[in-house]
Amino acid sequence: MAAPILLLGSLLAMSSFLALAYDVKPLQDFCVADAKSSVTVNGLACKDPKKAKAKDFFFSGLHLAGNTSNAVGSIVTPVNVAQIPGLNTLGISLARIDYAPGGINSPHTHPRASEILTVIEGQLEVGFVTSNPDNRLIAKTLNKGDVFVFPIGLIHFQRNVGWGNAVAIAGLNSQNPGVITIANAVFGADPEIKSDILARAFQLDKNVIEFAQSKF
């Protein structure tokens, strides 16, 4: 009886170790990204910490409104490891989203991060869609000061439903969350996805698909 219990204990201990080992944590105070390094890693190589400066941990300009004069009426100003090298390995980033009246942040996903969105100005309709097979829309109208969470990997969107411009700040739990805009990815792939595949997937006429592809 003692042997099976000992074996079970060993397996539990091993599984706990593996679970902890999988969640990579920084092993130093910081790892400022070295943009000049040719080393390829899952993240960015670190520069000599003795050469770190305050500017490596700093970004200015999030108070400035972005230009929303585009087809969707919104613009995202990211603040990730590309803007702040000191975010490397820290697992966080920010973004400012500006919306013109009626503007949308098109349905998209972040493959590497969950998102928490705070409305700074205006009124937004927001929502995300659960995974197959339910594909349930969870949506709400937000006002200034309201907060909403989009779980990692799920398709989500925002739309300005107020009278004027709207602004939101998004926090993401990745230094480089990535973004896949659904319409761009499906209809603007390079090289393009064959129209007959998309016609069958969307159950639409092939000419409709080709028209959509021409827009991207």
Side-chain angles (χ1 to χ4, degrees):
M1 186 67 180
I5 292 175
L6 181 61
L7 177 60
L8 178 61
S10 299
L11 289 172
L12 287 172
M14 186 180 296
S15 65
S16 299
F17 171 77
L18 291 174
L20 290 172
Y22 180 79
D23 188 14
V24 179
K25 300 293 184 184
L27 299 177
Q28 62 282 318
D29 287 346
F30 50 80
C31 171
V32 175
D34 183 358
K36 298 178 181 178
S37 175
S38 60
V39 177
T40 302
V41 294
N42 187 21
L44 296 167
C46 310
K47 76 176 186 181
D48 185 343
K50 294 184 177 63
K51 296 180 179 179
K53 306 290 185 183
K55 66 178 182 179
D56 295 322
F57 304 90
F58 173 79
F59 174 86
S60 179
L62 214 59
H63 62 294
L64 300 174
N67 184 359
T68 59
S69 58
N70 52 56
V72 295
S74 74
I75 190 72
V76 177
T77 303
V79 186
N80 56 41
V81 70
Q83 288 75 40
I84 304 181
L87 280 178
N88 194 32
T89 77
L90 299 186
I92 55 172
S93 59
L94 275 177
R96 170 181 171 138
I97 310 104
D98 288 275
Y99 313 80
I104 65 168
N105 190 7
S106 301
H108 63 281
T109 72
H110 300 294
R112 295 180 290 275
S114 295
E115 175 181 345
I116 184 166
L117 184 93
T118 304
V119 179
I120 303 301
E121 202 64 57
Q123 187 178 60
L124 295 176
E125 176 188 359
V126 306
F128 65 86
V129 180
T130 64
S131 56
N132 295 348
D134 296 334
N135 299 132
R136 188 162 65 96
L137 173 64
I138 296 177
K140 186 170 178 60
T141 298
L142 306 182
N143 296 295
K144 182 176 180 179
D146 290 345
V147 177
F148 199 82
V149 172
F150 304 108
I152 185 171
L154 297 186
I155 294 174
H156 58 282
F157 65 90
Q158 301 104 40
R159 178 174 65 160
N160 183 358
V161 292
W163 293 104
N165 294 332
V167 181
I169 297 292
L172 303 110
N173 63 335
S174 171
Q175 69 183 47
N176 184 21
V179 60
I180 301 171
T181 305
I182 307 306
N184 297 51
V186 172
F187 298 113
D190 185 19
E192 67 182 26
I193 301 172
K194 292 180 179 178
S195 58
D196 59 322
I197 294 175
L198 296 180
R200 188 163 187 179
F202 285 92
Q203 301 179 46
L204 294 171
D205 186 90
K206 186 178 176 181
N207 292 330
V208 175
I209 295 297
E210 291 173 351
F211 176 75
Q213 287 177 318
S214 71
K215 295 294 185 180
F216 292 90

